[in-house]
Every structure is written in C-alpha cells, then in structure tokens.
Amino acid sequence: MNLNDFIRVIPDFPKKGILYKDITPLLLETKAVDYCLQEFINRLDGKEIDKVAAIESRGFFFGMLLAKELNAGFVPIRKKGKLPYNTLQESYELEYSTDNLEIHQDAINPGENVLLHDDVLATGGTANAACKLIERLGGEIVQCNFLIELTFLEGRKKLNHLEVVSLIGD
C-alpha cells in the first residue's frame, strides 16, 4: 500500500513556505489505518511495551490504537497547561521561540518500557523533549515511531541514541 496516496499536501499552512502534510485523508480510510497500525506493530519486532506515550494532538490517533493493540497504558504528552494533575515540564526550541511539553508525574513508573509515537518527525525538537520527560520518570524508551518523517530536516539526529521508525519518509 502506498501511504503517500492518503496524505494531502497543503502549501503555505500554517504559514507561508510550509508544505503541511495532512493525515486526515488517511484517517478516513480504515484499510489504510489498519495497514499503518499493523506496520507499527510489525516493526516493534515483539518488543514488550508497558506504556505508549503520544504527543498531542495528532499523535493521539495512532497512540491510542497502539496502546490498545499492545495491551499497554496510554500516556498523553501535552503542551503546557493542558494536563490537570501534577506534571513535569520540558522546554524545546521552535524555529523562532521555545515551547514546553508536560507529562503527568505518575504516568510512567521507573523501568517501564515505553513506545513514543507522534504523527510527524520534523526537526526532532518536540520528540526529543518528550523523550527527556519519559526518561526523567525512569521510563525506558524502546522505540520512537512516526507516521511521517521529513528526512530533509534531519530530526532523527536529535534521537540518535534511540531506535526510530517511520512509515513514510519524505
């Protein structure tokens, strides 16, 4: 299955010069969703997963599906101020500013095997911040997986100590 057939490219969104990769056409096709889910599972190669951590918001789509399929807990990683309980926070660099991610302090126990999922790996800043949060809680990151990787931005380099899987390289 050619997953690129299900990705809509929108020029100049959210700002001029950006080619936005819209995954909503893929989400409309159950066969494409099933295919992606099975590919993610296959690429885990039998690794034991206790928790699936996913980055808001589009990472939640496959993150929840993966957690259910793997019989693992689901951990939302969100932007600052979106989680209602005690949190840990990690800053990361954006193109012209910084932002913060948060995770609940009790979301991951030391020694638990964690799969990190997000929809797109671009510069790697967001994924790297999420990994730092997981590691600060004592989680062992088994793999970082992404639906799309914008390879020209070399975000994988920020995760060079981890196994990175992407289904669509661009």
Side-chain angles (χ1 to χ4, degrees), residues 62-140:
F62 280 100
M64 274 299 301
L65 293 173
L66 284 162
K68 182 170 183 337
E69 187 75 18
L70 295 166
N71 197 32
F74 177 75
V75 178
I77 297 177
R78 302 208 58 197
K79 298 239 171 110
K80 184 179 178 181
K82 302 282 186 166
L83 291 172
Y85 188 62
N86 298 332
T87 61
L88 290 181
Q89 187 178 122
E90 188 70 39
S91 296
Y92 63 100
E93 302 273 329
L94 296 169
E95 192 174 357
Y96 297 107
S97 64
T98 60
D99 208 342
N100 295 288
L101 289 179
E102 292 183 335
I103 191 170
H104 280 143
Q105 289 178 352
D106 61 353
I108 295 169
N109 297 312
E112 285 187 315
N113 291 330
V114 180
L115 169 65
L116 176 68
H117 175 78
D118 201 7
D119 64 320
V120 176
L121 174 60
T123 64
T126 306
N128 188 46
C131 289
K132 287 179 181 178
L133 287 170
I134 293 165
E135 290 169 342
R136 284 172 59 194
L137 291 174
E140 303 290 331

